[in-house]
Amino acid sequence: MKNGFNLLCFGLALLIAGSASAHGGGEGSRAGLPVPEISHGEMAVIADYRGRIMDLAASAVDTNEPFRRVLNYAEIQYSYCLWGRMPGSVTDEESPFNECAHAYLAATKAVLLAMRDMPQEAVVAGEIASAVDVDMVRRGLSLVTCRFSGEGFNTADVVRPRWSEIPLHPASMASLTGFAAILAAGFFVLRRLLRIQSSE
């Protein structure tokens, strides 16, 4: 319940902030670092290896500023995409969260590729990259694309979910409705506990 509550609170905060501004990776400042695009097929595999990639990146010692900026962008985009928790955010092209998933996974891929050139991380990063390549071929995802597959990103531009499209996407709507129900239940339970304590 705690995780669902935290997720909903963050999601509602983003909804309020995001509704006032446009999403998108191509209309903001170009002052940041470019992040190469990622294909729809690559996303599904990189998502499976994201934990290993980010753990390795977090322990990297011999880093530079561009690497840290792309790593930070990957983390920021991941949180904006509600930590990948929304159903279909990676696999469903029609998901309101698919473009922001492209952004954090493109940055994750860029982080992995950068670590292949780092002395202490090169071996493990190379092993992960090889495993990704094998999975891509095994699952036949190499040529799978979608409307966001050719979109590059920039560390200066946060890609937000398409909030206005959530009511039109049943899986996203169902998830947020579920979180809202958890929040409401938690609120009433908390209020009841506070009343009991105040009456004692």
Side-chain angles (χ1 to χ4, degrees):
M1 177 179 282
K2 185 178 179 182
N3 289 339
F5 177 82
N6 291 340
L7 183 59
L8 179 62
C9 288
F10 185 80
L12 291 175
L14 290 178
L15 177 59
I16 293 170
S19 62
S21 60
H23 78 284
E27 300 177 3
S29 168
R30 294 290 98 188
L33 298 175
V35 177
E37 70 276 1
I38 187 172
S39 73
H40 195 72
E42 285 179 298
M43 284 177 63
V45 180
I46 291 290
D48 291 342
Y49 287 87
R50 182 188 176 278
R52 289 178 61 186
I53 295 169
M54 300 307 281
D55 286 346
L56 181 61
S59 65
V61 178
D62 187 20
T63 64
N64 54 34
E65 183 181 353
F67 175 82
R68 292 189 294 271
R69 288 174 67 184
V70 174
L71 177 60
N72 185 55
Y73 180 73
E75 294 284 17
I76 290 171
Q77 279 295 159
Y78 188 55
S79 64
Y80 264 93
C81 208
L82 301 187
W83 305 280
R85 305 270 182 179
M86 296 303 291
S89 61
V90 172
T91 58
D92 184 2
E93 177 182 354
E94 300 304 319
S95 168
F97 295 85
N98 189 244
E99 186 180 18
C100 69
H102 268 267
Y104 82 75
L105 290 170
T108 302
K109 176 187 172 184
V111 166
L112 173 62
L113 296 180
M115 288 191 293
R116 293 196 304 180
D117 295 326
M118 295 180 179
Q120 297 185 44
E121 289 73 38
V123 173
V124 177
E127 291 173 353
I128 296 174
S130 295
V132 168
D133 287 341
V134 170
D135 263 8
M136 288 275 294
V137 174
R138 180 178 60 83
R139 295 162 63 177
L141 297 173
S142 300
L143 301 178
V144 178
T145 62
C146 73
R147 59 179 168 159
F148 301 120
S149 291
E151 180 178 354
F153 301 94
N154 190 284
T155 58
D157 301 329
V158 173
V159 180
R160 296 173 177 84
R162 299 172 179 265
W163 298 111
S164 63
E165 295 180 11
I166 288 177
L168 305 177
H169 190 254
S172 297
M173 194 64 187
S175 291
L176 290 179
T177 300
F179 292 143
I182 291 172
L183 178 62
F187 173 77
F188 286 116
V189 168
L190 179 61
R191 189 170 69 171
R192 184 172 182 179
L193 289 174
L194 290 174
R195 284 182 177 176
I196 291 174
Q197 288 178 353
S198 62
S199 64
E200 290 179 350

